[in-house]
Amino acid sequence: MSRIKSWLSRTALGVGAVGVLAAGFAVGDGWEAFGRRATGERRARMERSPQWKDGQFVNPQPIINDNWGGVGMLFERAFESTPTAPVPTAPVDPRRFDTPPATGLRVTWLGHSTNLVEIDGQRVLTDPFWGERTSPLTWVGPKRWYAPLLALGDMPRVDAVVISHDHYDHLDHTTLVAMKAWDTRFVVPLGVGAHLASWGIPEARIVELDWWEHTRVGDLEITLTPARHASGRYLLDNNATLWGGFALRGPTHRAFYSGDTGLFPALRDIGERLGPFDVTLLEVGQYGKPWPDWHMGPEQAVAAHRMLRGRVLVPVHWGLVNLAPHTWTEPIERALVAARAAEVTITQARPGESLEPEAPPAPARWWPDLPRQTAEENPIVSSQME
């Protein structure tokens, strides 16, 4: 999650946060990165959404925060929350994508929530982040741990770019500006298209969806699914745009990408209406006990995978930037433990590696063995889950 209000506190900028933000406005650094608010027919469509209430988008299960606990975590940093040695990554040869996946479904994880999903002849890129920082400012904010593994200019043809919400680690201004000439479809939740249009992406290439709405790219159906999260790129635009996950359904295969979400009951509805899924790409990192409704955490991601009727779980939203006070390897360690206990098939490639879920490799440890908290020591339990 990268809404500035939460992002500033979770990256220990503390009391100086408001000053930093004000300085950014004053000198213009980051102004374009803030994006634009929706107006006209775009705004009118948002206001007709069942998710719109009292001037903003809302969750069916409201998010509950432990604000004092969050303040206390400002002073708690996990041992090695940022890597002290280079993260092992796999080189990405663009020629890899000249050969279609033998099984018809292949996932290449590029770090955090960026994945190239090749499914039934179509290529879908999720939440592309090629920027240096998850921030509107060029000189402060969480910084990526390794350079992009594949230059944007070397990317294979992409049929659709899907963006789950407008937080900075999912909607990166510099990346989208570099993509504005791409001959592709940008599929986003309601309101997010205003940001893209302000950065020069033609309206004709932008498709905005409400929950449960879908669009087609070739034979692939892309559906925006509910999620339990929030949006906003500066202090005054909280929840002014919608958020969601994506179900990708081709003639033969089905994949699900969660975006950012806490655990919520409608995950079961998604599984029943749009599943079962050959692969689920679920966020497992950047969690904290004071904000259990913002992100699922590893154990609840495994529960969500089962609710979605998934076959193979691929953890995402970790391994590139630090947005929460846990050891950087803790999300995958806890996800593996939870998956084994639930008898869920899980796999985890190195950043830059590709895998085919129909023949998933067993997780091979490429990350260091670091001290960490267990699920029992630091449980993440979303509220309002019966």
Side-chain angles (χ1 to χ4, degrees):
M1 182 192 70
S2 290
R3 184 178 58 172
I4 286 193
K5 183 177 180 180
S6 298
W7 165 79
L8 290 170
S9 65
R10 293 180 199 182
T11 54
L13 295 182
V15 177
V18 175
V20 168
L21 184 61
F25 273 108
V27 302
D29 182 18
W31 181 262
E32 284 298 318
F34 289 133
R36 295 290 185 273
R37 298 290 288 267
T39 59
E41 176 53 32
R42 176 174 273 125
R43 169 78 180 199
R45 185 183 172 203
M46 292 162 55
E47 293 178 353
R48 293 193 295 268
S49 168
Q51 282 59 253
W52 185 267
K53 183 179 180 181
D54 298 330
Q56 64 179 356
F57 288 105
V58 298
N59 291 291
Q61 291 78 33
I63 287 176
I64 297 175
N65 296 311
D66 175 5
N67 294 325
W68 284 112
V71 171
M73 291 190 74
L74 287 173
F75 307 99
E76 299 177 11
R77 304 306 296 172
F79 169 78
E80 206 163 321
S81 57
T82 297
T84 57
V87 175
T89 60
V92 181
D93 185 342
R95 292 174 296 182
R96 178 191 310 175
F97 306 106
D98 293 342
T99 303
T103 62
L105 176 62
R106 180 166 60 196
V107 176
T108 304
W109 182 48
L110 298 174
H112 201 59
S113 293
T114 303
N115 304 271
L116 182 61
V117 182
E118 299 168 273
I119 178 170
D120 294 347
Q122 305 293 323
R123 295 193 186 103
V124 179
L125 186 64
T126 69
D127 287 348
F129 176 64
W130 264 255
E132 184 70 13
R133 297 180 184 273
T134 62
S135 168
L137 308 178
T138 59
W139 47 275
V140 69
K143 188 175 182 179
R144 63 184 305 140
W145 301 333
Y146 46 86
L149 302 174
L150 181 64
L152 281 174
D154 292 334
M155 285 286 292
R157 174 190 54 82
V158 172
D159 300 286
V161 175
V162 299
I163 297 169
S164 62
H165 62 298
D166 70 3
H167 287 158
Y168 288 96
D169 55 323
H170 297 263
L171 178 63
D172 180 59
H173 166 249
T174 58
T175 303
L176 270 294
V177 168
M179 289 180 170
K180 65 183 180 181
W182 282 22
D183 183 16
T184 190
R185 198 89 54 86
F186 295 87
V187 185
V188 301
L190 291 178
V192 176
H195 298 315
L196 274 59
S198 75
W199 298 333
I201 293 176
E203 289 279 6
R205 295 182 190 158
I206 301 171
V207 178
E208 287 182 281
L209 301 176
D210 201 347
W211 289 351
W212 300 113
E213 291 182 342
H214 68 267
T215 188
R216 297 195 72 87
V217 176
D219 291 333
L220 184 69
E221 180 184 88
I222 302 176
T223 303
L224 182 72
T225 61
R228 187 183 188 184
H229 200 55
S231 67
R233 294 178 73 79
Y234 56 94
L235 292 174
L236 303 179
D237 70 335
N238 293 342
N239 300 336
T241 63
L242 190 57
W243 48 90
F246 289 95
L248 312 176
R249 302 202 301 166
T252 306
H253 296 94
R254 299 182 182 189
F256 180 79
Y257 167 57
S258 66
D260 279 3
T261 184
L263 197 68
F264 65 106
L267 286 163
R268 186 168 285 108
D269 298 333
I270 296 169
E272 292 174 354
R273 292 173 61 169
L274 302 175
F277 295 101
D278 299 286
V279 64
T280 64
L281 310 174
L282 302 185
E283 58 113 301
V284 302
Q286 321 316 318
Y287 50 83
K289 191 182 297 185
W291 61 89
D293 296 337
W294 289 84
H295 296 287
M296 292 187 288
E299 295 76 30
Q300 293 190 139
V302 171
H305 173 82
R306 299 181 71 178
M307 294 168 71
L308 289 161
R309 301 169 66 203
R311 193 177 69 83
V312 177
L313 168 60
V314 176
V316 299
H317 205 242
W318 78 284
L320 181 63
V321 291
N322 171 36
L323 302 173
H326 53 62
T327 302
W328 75 270
T329 59
E330 184 180 296
I332 184 60
E333 297 280 14
R334 287 175 53 166
L336 292 174
V337 171
R340 284 195 295 268
E343 298 183 344
V344 162
T345 301
I346 187 172
T347 187
Q348 183 68 71
R350 284 186 299 166
E353 286 183 335
S354 299
L355 61 87
E356 299 192 36
E358 287 193 16
R365 179 184 291 276
W366 50 263
W367 55 90
D369 187 6
L370 300 175
R372 56 190 175 273
Q373 290 185 304
T374 65
E376 293 72 26
E377 293 169 330
N378 183 29
I380 308 300
V381 181
S382 296
S383 69
Q384 302 155 79
M385 285 294 298
E386 295 297 333

